[in-house]
Amino acid sequence: MADNWHMQIRVQMAHTDCTGVVYHANYLNFMEMARSELFSRLCQEHGLTVPQFYQMYGFFVVHGVNITYKQPLRLAEKATVVSRVVKRSRVQTVWHQAVYRGDSANKQLCTDAQVKLAFVNKAMRPAKMPDWLWSTNTEVST
Amino acid sequence: MADNWHMQIRVQMAHTDCTGVVYHANYLNFMEMARSELFSRLCQEHGLTVPQFYQMYGFFVVHGVNITYKQPLRLAEKATVVSRVVKRSRVQTVWHQAVYRGDSANKQLCTDAQVKLAFVNKAMRPAKMPDWLWSTNTEVST
Amino acid sequence: MADNWHMQIRVQMAHTDCTGVVYHANYLNFMEMARSELFSRLCQEHGLTVPQFYQMYGFFVVHGVNITYKQPLRLAEKATVVSRVVKRSRVQTVWHQAVYRGDSANKQLCTDAQVKLAFVNKAMRPAKMPDWLWSTNTEVST
Amino acid sequence: MADNWHMQIRVQMAHTDCTGVVYHANYLNFMEMARSELFSRLCQEHGLTVPQFYQMYGFFVVHGVNITYKQPLRLAEKATVVSRVVKRSRVQTVWHQAVYRGDSANKQLCTDAQVKLAFVNKAMRPAKMPDWLWSTNTEVST
């Protein structure tokens, strides 16, 4: 998956804290939402719903996050989460994900992170994800 | 505003709890997100950003919520928040908001609520919202 | 359970939003935390952990919340959640829960709510809770 | 501050997700809660409330988090957040924080992180924190 995957979000009241900006932990939610949205589309292309996938194969757990905060986001601002897989095996994926203020034409970096995910089965033991999951370039319609 | 305002959401991991369904408090977030999205569009139609509106006039605070839970939502399900103002004055609005599984063609009621909001200034004192805010039928493009 | 159950909390950054006060949905979390803490102690008195209880009997789901907001709570303030069961059967309990600024000696009402809970089994079907759960006055040490 | 600061927490329903364990972003909340609780006690020792401190000096913003997840925490489990400052200047502090299942006598590492904080004034510009804040060993009663 050489391509970047873009997802738009808008900052909601519930994302902010009393310093007036997005609470730092909520950027992890934005990033997870972007990965999930992409994952959901990949499942759909293979004729599966997300719960069906979980039943058949397993799911991803976060093993580590290294996140840096550059600029704060504020209420009602639009942001873009740009995600790409930078490393992968059948049991693990490493993502680079960044959150930008604005859209792709006019953007400012707010936060970026490296996120490591492991694939596990229902018993939370390491498992192998299906070949089709990350073996081809991800060409999903945005 | 006789019309219903529809907003699509998708259930994320962060919305769920260990019983496997959306955590009950998070439906309040969905409803707030729907009101904010509509509010943001109304501001835009009057040439204001949301922060500009807050600076000029004030903001809404929730005075009460009466919410009933009918059916649980699960991870990755798509839902629709249907919102309408059922009562309004210059200082208060009362909303009916419902969350449905699925889209408008094929939907099942999951949760519905009556939400009372008061308008306050920056000092959190009761204030009057501008005439244009709710005085006309809301015709916003979805 | 005629008695009131008191639980102390302190407002954290993550509870607040950019209006400077606790985000309205988070009071539902405070109330759920108070019910859970009490429930955990009742289980312990009967020689069970909470997960063991869930395995053996089932769990509670929220059927409805009618909450009113009176005064906002702010960062770092201490608050007390006062909870009592006002109605109960083997399949349902109704709680009155209030959040006060300060402690029991000097308190101001911030929020109060009626919360309806139903007891369900793992398949999320209505179930009966064990006799001992609510049949005696709750005398737990705080 | 050579000493470790211990804070007990209990996993609530709202902390978990539908995989049955604590949602990964919520560990950042646990860590922030531990830092805030300590900060609140330090303010108190200097005769200030937290809001008074914010008014007089400024506040901390998170610049970076490098977190690793080892073992999941589950509903109703008790955990301990162990925090210490590993590096400090007048404008920045670096913390090591770890979350353990159980108490100090019998504990298992679940998550650990390095957290970088910067001190800013109300305009979110870099600022200097007061001398007393971190210049002495932190001896606070738990």
Side-chain angles (χ1 to χ4, degrees):
Chain A
M1 190 168 65
D3 294 321
N4 286 322
W5 156 254
H6 291 69
M7 191 190 69
Q8 306 284 326
I9 54 168
R10 186 201 289 268
V11 176
Q12 301 297 326
M13 191 71 83
H15 300 143
T16 62
D17 69 29
C18 64
T19 66
V21 302
V22 171
Y23 183 68
H24 71 289
N26 290 337
Y27 289 94
L28 272 61
N29 300 25
F30 296 162
M31 292 174 181
E32 208 260 341
M33 199 190 319
R35 296 191 306 271
S36 294
E37 201 60 36
L38 174 56
F39 174 64
S40 167
R41 287 168 190 235
L42 290 170
C43 284
Q44 204 176 353
E45 288 180 2
H46 285 78
L48 293 172
T49 65
V50 171
Q52 284 170 340
F53 181 95
Y54 286 147
Q55 285 293 331
M56 290 175 66
Y57 300 107
F59 56 97
F60 292 94
V61 292
V62 180
H63 263 206
V65 178
N66 192 348
I67 184 167
T68 309
Y69 301 92
K70 316 277 193 188
Q71 289 290 328
L73 276 172
R74 290 168 199 280
L75 183 68
E77 286 188 324
K78 286 185 180 171
T80 307
V81 186
V82 180
S83 310
R84 67 174 199 275
V85 175
V86 291
K87 210 169 141 186
R88 62 184 154 186
S89 71
R90 289 206 59 184
V91 296
Q92 211 186 10
T93 53
V94 181
W95 293 71
H96 179 265
Q97 296 191 277
V99 181
Y100 294 91
R101 175 179 291 108
D103 53 27
S104 44
N106 182 10
K107 64 189 188 186
Q108 181 188 24
L109 179 61
C110 293
T111 309
D112 67 354
Q114 194 188 62
V115 184
K116 286 185 200 174
L117 301 174
F119 198 72
V120 298
N121 61 22
K122 286 188 174 186
M124 290 246 171
R125 299 283 167 204
K128 290 183 182 172
M129 62 188 96
D131 276 341
W132 58 262
L133 188 50
W134 302 115
S135 60
T136 53
N137 273 11
T138 308
E139 299 287 351
V140 288
S141 54
T142 58
Chain B
M1 190 167 68
D3 294 320
N4 287 321
W5 157 255
H6 291 69
M7 191 192 68
Q8 306 284 326
I9 54 168
R10 188 198 289 268
V11 176
Q12 301 296 327
M13 191 69 87
H15 300 144
T16 61
D17 68 30
C18 65
T19 66
V21 302
V22 171
Y23 183 65
H24 71 288
N26 290 336
Y27 289 94
L28 272 60
N29 300 24
F30 295 164
M31 291 173 182
E32 208 260 340
M33 199 190 318
R35 295 191 307 270
S36 295
E37 201 59 37
L38 174 55
F39 174 64
S40 168
R41 286 169 190 234
L42 290 171
C43 285
Q44 203 176 354
E45 289 180 2
H46 286 77
L48 294 171
T49 66
V50 171
Q52 284 171 337
F53 180 95
Y54 287 146
Q55 285 293 331
M56 290 176 65
Y57 299 108
F59 56 96
F60 292 95
V61 293
V62 180
H63 262 205
V65 178
N66 192 349
I67 185 168
T68 310
Y69 300 93
K70 318 277 193 187
Q71 290 289 329
L73 277 172
R74 288 166 200 283
L75 183 67
E77 286 188 323
K78 285 185 181 171
T80 308
V81 186
V82 180
S83 309
R84 69 173 196 278
V85 175
V86 290
K87 213 169 140 184
R88 62 183 154 184
S89 70
R90 290 204 62 181
V91 294
Q92 211 187 10
T93 53
V94 181
W95 294 70
H96 179 265
Q97 296 191 278
V99 181
Y100 293 90
R101 174 179 292 108
D103 53 26
S104 45
N106 182 11
K107 64 188 188 184
Q108 183 187 24
L109 179 61
C110 292
T111 309
D112 67 356
Q114 195 188 60
V115 182
K116 285 184 199 174
L117 300 174
F119 197 73
V120 297
N121 61 23
K122 286 187 171 186
M124 289 247 170
R125 299 283 165 201
K128 290 184 181 174
M129 63 188 94
D131 275 341
W132 59 261
L133 188 51
W134 301 116
S135 61
T136 53
N137 272 12
T138 309
E139 300 287 351
V140 289
S141 54
T142 59
Chain C
M1 192 168 63
D3 294 319
N4 287 321
W5 156 256
H6 291 69
M7 191 190 71
Q8 306 285 326
I9 55 169
R10 187 199 288 269
V11 176
Q12 302 296 328
M13 191 70 86
H15 300 143
T16 61
D17 68 30
C18 64
T19 66
V21 301
V22 170
Y23 183 66
H24 72 289
N26 290 337
Y27 290 94
L28 273 59
N29 299 26
F30 295 163
M31 292 176 181
E32 208 259 340
M33 201 190 315
R35 296 191 307 269
S36 295
E37 201 60 35
L38 175 56
F39 174 65
S40 168
R41 286 167 190 235
L42 290 171
C43 285
Q44 204 175 352
E45 288 180 2
H46 286 78
L48 293 171
T49 65
V50 170
Q52 283 170 340
F53 180 94
Y54 286 147
Q55 285 293 331
M56 290 175 66
Y57 299 107
F59 57 95
F60 292 94
V61 293
V62 180
H63 262 204
V65 178
N66 192 349
I67 185 168
T68 310
Y69 300 92
K70 317 275 194 190
Q71 289 289 329
L73 278 172
R74 289 167 200 280
L75 183 67
E77 286 189 322
K78 284 185 181 171
T80 308
V81 187
V82 180
S83 310
R84 68 175 198 274
V85 175
V86 291
K87 212 170 142 185
R88 61 182 155 191
S89 71
R90 291 204 60 183
V91 296
Q92 211 185 8
T93 54
V94 181
W95 295 70
H96 180 264
Q97 298 191 277
V99 181
Y100 293 91
R101 175 180 289 110
D103 53 26
S104 45
N106 183 9
K107 64 189 189 185
Q108 182 187 25
L109 180 61
C110 293
T111 308
D112 67 355
Q114 195 189 60
V115 182
K116 287 186 199 173
L117 300 173
F119 198 73
V120 298
N121 61 22
K122 287 186 170 186
M124 290 246 170
R125 299 283 166 201
K128 290 183 181 173
M129 62 188 96
D131 276 341
W132 58 263
L133 188 50
W134 303 113
S135 60
T136 55
N137 273 13
T138 309
E139 300 288 348
V140 290
S141 55
T142 59
Chain D
M1 190 168 66
D3 294 319
N4 287 321
W5 156 256
H6 290 69
M7 191 191 69
Q8 305 285 325
I9 54 169
R10 186 199 289 272
V11 176
Q12 302 297 327
M13 192 70 85
H15 300 143
T16 61
D17 68 29
C18 64
T19 67
V21 302
V22 171
Y23 183 67
H24 72 288
N26 290 336
Y27 290 94
L28 272 61
N29 300 25
F30 296 163
M31 292 173 180
E32 207 260 340
M33 201 190 317
R35 295 191 307 270
S36 295
E37 200 60 37
L38 175 55
F39 174 65
S40 168
R41 287 167 189 237
L42 289 171
C43 284
Q44 204 176 354
E45 289 180 1
H46 286 77
L48 293 172
T49 65
V50 171
Q52 283 170 340
F53 180 94
Y54 287 147
Q55 284 293 329
M56 291 175 66
Y57 300 107
F59 57 96
F60 293 95
V61 293
V62 181
H63 263 205
V65 178
N66 192 349
I67 185 167
T68 310
Y69 301 92
K70 316 277 193 187
Q71 288 290 329
L73 277 172
R74 289 167 200 280
L75 184 67
E77 285 189 323
K78 285 184 181 172
T80 307
V81 186
V82 180
S83 310
R84 69 173 197 276
V85 175
V86 291
K87 211 170 142 185
R88 62 183 154 188
S89 71
R90 289 205 62 182
V91 296
Q92 211 187 8
T93 54
V94 181
W95 294 70
H96 180 265
Q97 298 190 275
V99 181
Y100 293 92
R101 175 180 290 109
D103 52 26
S104 46
N106 182 10
K107 63 188 189 185
Q108 182 188 23
L109 180 59
C110 293
T111 308
D112 67 355
Q114 195 189 60
V115 183
K116 286 185 200 172
L117 299 174
F119 197 73
V120 297
N121 60 23
K122 286 187 172 187
M124 291 245 170
R125 299 282 164 203
K128 290 184 182 174
M129 61 188 98
D131 275 341
W132 59 262
L133 189 50
W134 302 114
S135 60
T136 54
N137 272 11
T138 308
E139 299 288 350
V140 288
S141 54
T142 58

